[in-house]
Amino acid sequence: MKKLRGLLKASHFGPTLIVTSISWFFAAHYWWEGPAYVIAFGVFTGQLVVGWSNDLYDYKDDLMHNRQNKPLVSELISQSYLKRWLTFMVPFSFVANLLGPLGFKGGLVYMFGISMGVAYNFYFKFNVFSWFPYALAFAALPSCIAISKDVTPPVWMWLGGALLGSAAHFINVIKDMDQDRASGIGGAPQRIGKRNSIVVAGLLIALGLSTLVVFN
């Protein structure tokens, strides 16, 4: 039970649950409840890959700042244990999404979004384009479900997703911004500061919601 709790915490379970729930609602709209649960499960496995790779990569930094809310730092689980699960989950997530209701095209679009999440962990979080993988990943999430039904994703879906995803990035970074700067993490939010990040996030949310109204 302790290790299960550690795996869930390492997945960043709150955001993972939100993304999984969003995928279920879109899937239930385009499909029906049965396939929606299968699609949501596939999405969940992809989010595990993003969260687990993030905690593994950030372990030394989390340890330096004594982030006891992180399961590797609090020793709920070990690095080797999390690596074994990540090694299993990467191919499993590919199979679950490409061979599930999303199909090959929809599954590839979703896994592209997951690759953007991983790319953020290893590269984009350190530069001014840190918002870019969030934009692409949040655009891919609903779009992959539309594509699975041979529907061209409407503008409000991918553009709104990109804007709201970028806003989520600026909001998510605020709480650890001071520690990130001390660690040399120079993403877009860290470069413009907390106050400006809040302003940018508000503008992106407003643009995102406007997009849903105008193009829907």
Side-chain angles (χ1 to χ4, degrees):
M1 198 65 183
K2 174 184 175 182
K3 289 184 176 180
L4 176 60
R5 192 166 75 252
L7 287 174
L8 290 176
K9 288 189 71 173
S11 74
H12 302 204
F13 188 67
T16 290
L17 187 61
I18 292 172
V19 171
T20 302
S21 299
I22 291 172
S23 72
W24 185 90
F25 282 109
F26 274 101
H29 172 73
Y30 280 100
W31 292 78
W32 53 280
E33 283 83 354
Y37 284 111
V38 180
I39 289 172
F41 173 74
V43 168
F44 178 72
T45 64
Q47 296 304 305
L48 292 180
V49 171
V50 176
W52 290 349
S53 63
N54 176 267
D55 267 29
L56 279 170
Y57 186 82
D58 284 353
Y59 173 63
K60 289 183 179 179
D61 188 59
D62 291 337
L63 194 62
M64 181 177 71
H65 294 292
N66 193 32
R67 294 179 177 132
Q68 289 296 318
N69 61 316
K70 294 298 186 79
L72 291 176
V73 177
S74 63
E75 298 184 344
L76 274 176
I77 51 176
S78 66
Q79 283 182 283
S80 60
Y81 183 76
L82 188 54
K83 284 178 182 177
R84 287 197 299 271
W85 270 102
L86 182 60
T87 301
F88 162 77
M89 193 57 66
V90 171
F92 180 82
S93 185
F94 265 96
V95 172
N97 284 288
L98 268 62
L99 298 185
L102 286 180
F104 193 75
K105 289 190 295 184
L108 278 181
V109 171
Y110 175 65
M111 293 312 295
F112 169 75
I114 292 305
S115 73
M116 288 296 97
V118 175
Y120 170 81
N121 294 338
F122 289 88
Y123 176 72
F124 283 98
K125 70 188 295 181
F126 299 100
N127 62 60
V128 72
F129 296 106
S130 58
W131 52 270
F132 187 60
Y134 270 78
L136 292 180
F138 275 75
L141 178 64
S143 297
C144 73
I145 300 171
I147 290 170
S148 73
K149 295 295 286 183
D150 293 321
V151 174
T152 300
V155 173
W156 67 264
M157 181 180 289
W158 57 264
L159 182 56
L163 290 167
L164 293 175
S166 298
H169 167 54
F170 281 89
I171 293 170
N172 186 56
V173 169
I174 290 172
K175 65 182 184 300
D176 292 325
M177 186 175 290
D178 293 335
Q179 292 179 342
D180 286 345
R181 283 174 162 176
S183 299
I185 298 174
Q190 290 90 346
R191 291 168 187 255
I192 66 175
K194 292 182 180 180
R195 181 176 298 178
N196 288 333
S197 290
I198 293 172
V199 173
V200 170
L203 289 173
L204 288 169
I205 291 171
L207 286 172
L209 295 177
S210 297
T211 300
L212 300 183
V213 173
V214 172
F215 292 101
N216 197 348

